[in-house]
Amino acid sequence: MAANMYRVGDYVYFENSSSNPYLVRRIEELNKTANGNVEAKVVCLFRRRDISSSLNSLADSNAREFEEESKQPSVSEQQRHQLKHRELFLSRQFESLPATHIRGKCSVTLLNETDVLSQYLDKEDCFFYSLVFDPVQKTLLADQGEIRVGCKYQAEIPDRLAEGESDNRNQQKMEMKVWDPDNPLTDRQIDQFLVVARAVGTFARALDCSSSIRQPSLHMSAAAASRDITLFHAMDTLQRNGYDLAKAMSTLVPQGGPVLCRDEMEEWSASEAMLFEEALEKYGKDFNDIRQDFLPWKSLASIVQFYYMWKTTDRYIQQKRLKAAEADSKLKQVYIPTYTKPNPNQIISVSNKPGMNGAGFQKGLTCESCHTTQSAQWYAWGPPNMQCRLCASCWIYWKKYGGLKTPTQLEGAARSVTEPHSRGHMSRPEAQSLSPYTTSANRAKLLAKNRQTFLLQTTKLTRIARRMCRDILQPRRAARRPYAPINANAIKAECSIRLPKAAKTPLKIHPLVRLPLATIVKELAAQAPLKPKTPRGTKTPINRNQLTQNRGLAGIVGKRAYESVAGGGLPFSANGRPMTSGMRSSAQPAIKRQKLNPADAPNPVVFVATKDTRALRKALSHLEMRRAARRPNLPLKVKSMLPLRPVVAPLVPVPPAHPASTTEPIILED
């Protein structure tokens, strides 16, 4: 019975959706509506999942600073993951929710430097906060109500000076003395001087026109002159005049008239005081918002000073009585019975009946959080096409804390490699597509899910480890088993052991000896005599016989001959390539370009360069090769350049490259 009674000031869970986590709110008021329902005016508290990633990074840096300053004991990664679910962010936002949506109580405390974070994990329904979130400005700030304990807030008291020791500190930077208790005046003389100061203040207000309008009666002027501002001015006057009463009295009434000292209570008008009371009702003691929205022409120090003076007036006492009367007329507590209706996300009930979202759900899937396969109750979780589910205990954890007990693939973390049938290097849609319980239609739907593109970039140590530890890596065996995980950490550890030994015995690389160009050209000139130069105007087709030969096999498989489609006697371009139907020569008229059917394309022609041609290419200079690459449509007349090369020595065969200089393929394992 007591657990279902909710009072003002309690932190409670609110449910706004059957599939989303609970909302954490603090009850400020309980109001009964005209139709008999109860509404709760609550203060909103936000989770990490409710704020942006940039603010999450700011919260992480704040958490690291707190751990360093308070010297928190080390926690595991899983505990650190769960502590993020216990952190909340307070806000100044209010909202009204139906009281029937309350699902239980919880406790929220302000994080202190003396707290141990791991203790929050040992308590159920326990949260903490240290930052305040502004939903409008999208900012995170430190809570103004934090306990200011530590070296940042407490001053370090220096040691007392010994007898005769001089003070070496800069006295201009020190505080100024405003009162000396060891003065020659008695308490009676000081009280008499204060009475004189109040009388002078009353007379000064009577002479001032603005003060006469604000305080038209004598007793109001006397009350204003009796405030602290007049007493502080009188005591400062005594201090400045060396506690000489005659000099101090002459200072109170100079030649121009009596001195008038007024505080913030007199400086503010009645309309400004009304605005302040309205702002205080809306924002509370948040003086920055009061100044920004209601009183921008006032300074922050002026507003704070007026607030503490306003609390001493009868106006404050009247408003306090009115609030107490309103609180008496409102509800103090409300009884909300335990919510027992079934959840729509329920997959299989106790009586083995499928829930609303359980029809056609795959069997054999584990819990997404704890990876168990046995539970009395299952709940659908995540996107419907992912078909993830949670057990009963993990579902309660998800609803209360807004996260899972362990990081999952959907949250950006891979599963542990020790899990049975682990597919840690695969995404969940790919892993489910290999499941025997997934149909072909569902498999296509899972693989069609859009995923963000990511890039895996190997480090220098990883690339070195692949070469030095090939006996452990076994790339061919890993290629035959693409779904088995590779322990990259063990390979890198073995590489770090072998690397110092390998550095002492570096690989021997044999230098490659290249012959001079003149020797190569002379040998080529002796082996391959020059052929007559082809006339410039003649178009010589390359390997024309392959285009005109009969293709009986292509006709058998249903592919038509190229001549039957494009016609016989095809013209050739200047570079010797046959023109297709979409190309035209200079003599042909311009016609509409047609797209070539892949079935009508000619068979590919493969050209194999001879040994002489390859040697001639090496004989050309780098500049000539670059010029030829920029003009691919013109034939390259290499043999015409041969007489221009000097012939010096016979050709000597070039030794092959050392096996160590060959390029090895890189196998990606990430």
Side-chain angles (χ1 to χ4, degrees), residues 149-162:
V149 178
C151 59
K152 295 192 300 182
Y153 307 106
Q154 273 71 38
E156 296 181 1
I157 302 176
D159 296 334
R160 188 173 181 179
L161 298 176

Side-chain angles (χ1 to χ4, degrees), residues 480-498:
R480 291 193 296 267
R481 302 174 62 189
Y483 305 126
I486 298 175
N487 192 355
N489 294 329
I491 297 176
K492 293 179 181 179
E494 181 66 22
C495 176
S496 61
I497 298 176
R498 299 183 182 182

Side-chain angles (χ1 to χ4, degrees), residues 544 563 567-572:
R544 184 188 292 270
E563 294 82 3
L570 290 175
F572 289 83

Side-chain angles (χ1 to χ4, degrees), residues 467-527:
R467 296 179 179 272
M468 296 192 61
C469 304
R470 298 181 66 89
D471 54 338
I472 302 177
L473 178 61
Q474 298 180 356
R476 294 198 176 192
R477 184 178 181 184
R480 291 193 296 267
R481 302 174 62 189
Y483 305 126
I486 298 175
N487 192 355
N489 294 329
I491 297 176
K492 293 179 181 179
E494 181 66 22
C495 176
S496 61
I497 298 176
R498 299 183 182 182
L499 196 59
K501 300 179 181 179
K504 297 179 181 179
T505 57
L507 295 176
K508 296 181 180 180
I509 301 177
H510 299 280
L512 181 63
V513 180
R514 295 185 179 273
L515 296 177
L517 179 62
T519 306
I520 299 175
V521 173
K522 182 178 179 181
E523 183 64 23
L524 290 176
Q527 295 182 2

Side-chain angles (χ1 to χ4, degrees), residues 538-540 572-577 579 633-635:
T538 306
K539 298 179 181 180
T540 305
F572 289 83
S573 60
N575 59 356
R577 297 181 180 178
M579 290 186 177
N633 296 330
L634 295 181

Side-chain angles (χ1 to χ4, degrees), residues 405-461:
K405 296 179 181 178
T406 56
T408 61
Q409 293 176 352
L410 295 182
E411 295 179 347
R415 295 192 179 187
S416 175
V417 296
T418 59
E419 179 187 351
H421 308 287
S422 175
R423 296 166 183 171
H425 61 288
M426 300 174 60
S427 63
R428 184 162 184 84
E430 295 173 351
Q432 288 188 352
S433 65
L434 301 174
S435 174
Y437 302 102
T438 308
T439 61
S440 59
N442 291 335
R443 184 181 299 112
K445 186 185 298 184
L446 291 173
L447 293 178
K449 181 180 180 295
N450 295 330
R451 295 187 298 270
Q452 294 182 354
T453 306
F454 63 95
L455 175 64
L456 298 178
Q457 185 175 3
T458 56
T459 61
K460 188 175 181 180
L461 178 61

